[in-house]
Amino acid sequence: MNTRILRIDPQHPDSTAIAEAAEILRSGGLVAFPTETVYGLGADATSAKAVSSIFEAKQRPLTDPIIVHIADYEALESVAKNIPPIVETLAQQFWPGALTLILERSEHIPPIVSANQPTVAVRMPAHPVAQALIRAANIPIAAPSANAFSRPSATTAAHALQDLDGRIDAVLDGGQTMIGVESTVLELSGKYPRILRPGGVSLEQLQILLPEVTIRTELIEMSAAAEAPGQLIKHYSPRAKVLLFPDEKSLPALIHAAQGRIAKGQRVGIIGLNGEMPAFSGLNIALFPLGVTLEDAARNLFAGLRALDEQQMDVILAHGYSRKGIGAAIWDRLLRAAEGKVQGS
Ligand code: TXA
Ligand code: MG
């Protein structure tokens, strides 16, 4: 299959390109499109056949459920049922935006979307291209991140094409995404609301509305994906091995490890904030500066992992930052890229 590349202005999406992409979705095809978090790989969420082709294109196991995207609150009724009152409050505050809610699945959404679970994950993205596409298609859109299974998510159309060129019908190229890490996944069915995946909306932001919200910190092994399918430990992985260190204080240990790897003849890459780059001068390594703030780091994290992979690094070294705010999502993605292993612990 020849994947069509439809370039589009991210702020003022051209209606011809949107109409073309919407028509592909309506006829059961696959379209990658930008959201404010990462690129999604969209299909008609009401069609089991269309959704099954997402799993095929991504080589994603059928046990990993997919988020359904809507463009307005009214559409929620067709996707979920028995919606608890708190959802309207959360939606007023955080939708459109980087928050995904786990609700009871309606009959309009086939079980394959949710890996046969009675629930469904729903999100209303804020990106103008995503909004325009969902409205034009006039159906709920099932969309996981637009990467091959277990690879770093795509924050540009080029990243989506690296993994999916020839496997999907089209990509809407609206440039780099703004947030860079995926949405926060919030479960509401338990005794307390619980974050299953930290993301673009922080724990601290949610605590203002939901003081009792908790965050799931335990990690599920590859073999035990029961409670939150898709929360697999190996995720967001570049081909290179990722060596993750706890925090800023581990910088000397990180540099020592880099020197050791270089001495063994390995190709070493490091990602870090711009201000840290001078600490690595003189080392024979490839550097990918993530920017100045943690928001920059979130935006550029997956691009950094992919860029160092393109340069054929054997290992990529990184350390964690604050675990607060967007820092929680950065740490989670780094930890999964490192297959759950933290150096020196
Ligand atoms: O920002 C995002 O969320 C992006 C954009 C495209 O919207 N999407 C995304 O999708 O990251 P994906 O498939 O890569 O991640 C979806 C996450 C997985 O961790 C999955 O386990 C969880 O949401 N999830 C989906 N449906 C679920 C359900 N019914 N119950 C529990 N977790 C669910
Ligand atoms: Mg994903």
Side-chain angles (χ1 to χ4, degrees), residues 16 21 31 40 48 74 97 168 176 187 205 222 231 236 274 287 300 340:
T16 320
V31 178
E74 289 62 52
I168 63 176
Q176 188 180 6
E187 174 195 72
Q205 283 173 288
M222 284 291 275
Q231 296 287 309
Y236 314 111
N274 292 7
L287 289 176
N300 296 315

Side-chain angles (χ1 to χ4, degrees), residues 48 62 105 107 109-117 119:
L62 287 161
R105 177 165 49 83
E107 286 70 32
I109 302 298
I112 185 174
V113 171
S114 309
N116 282 318
Q117 297 189 93
T119 54

Side-chain angles (χ1 to χ4, degrees), residues 94 98-99 182-184 186 195 197-210 213 215 295 323-329:
F94 296 108
L99 181 67
E182 299 83 348
S183 62
T184 300
L186 184 68
I195 295 174
R197 176 180 73 180
V201 169
S202 69
L203 171 69
E204 293 81 359
Q205 283 173 288
L206 285 172
Q207 276 170 334
I208 298 170
L209 276 182
L210 301 170
V213 66
I215 185 160
E295 279 69 27
R323 311 286 152 87
K324 295 210 188 333
I326 194 74

Side-chain angles (χ1 to χ4, degrees), residues 7 21 50 148:
R7 283 183 221 292

Side-chain angles (χ1 to χ4, degrees), residues 222-271:
M222 284 291 275
S223 55
E227 186 180 17
Q231 296 287 309
L232 306 177
I233 195 77
K234 181 183 157 81
H235 224 113
Y236 314 111
S237 302
R239 278 173 280 273
K241 186 178 173 62
V242 175
L243 297 183
L244 176 62
F245 293 78
D247 50 30
E248 288 89 345
K249 291 197 292 276
S250 2
L251 206 50
L254 187 156
I255 290 171
H256 185 75
Q259 287 164 334
R261 297 280 172 157
I262 295 162
K264 281 198 224 156
Q266 294 189 358
R267 292 171 65 87
V268 177
I270 295 184
I271 55 175

Side-chain angles (χ1 to χ4, degrees), residues 38-39 58 60 64-65 67 143-154 182 197 230 235-236 302 333:
V38 300
Y39 273 69
K58 284 195 59 154
R60 177 178 173 117
D64 194 355
I67 299 171
S145 50
N147 51 281
F149 181 67
S150 91
R151 296 266 302 144
S153 299
E182 299 83 348
R197 176 180 73 180
H235 224 113
Y236 314 111
F302 291 134
R333 305 311 186 266

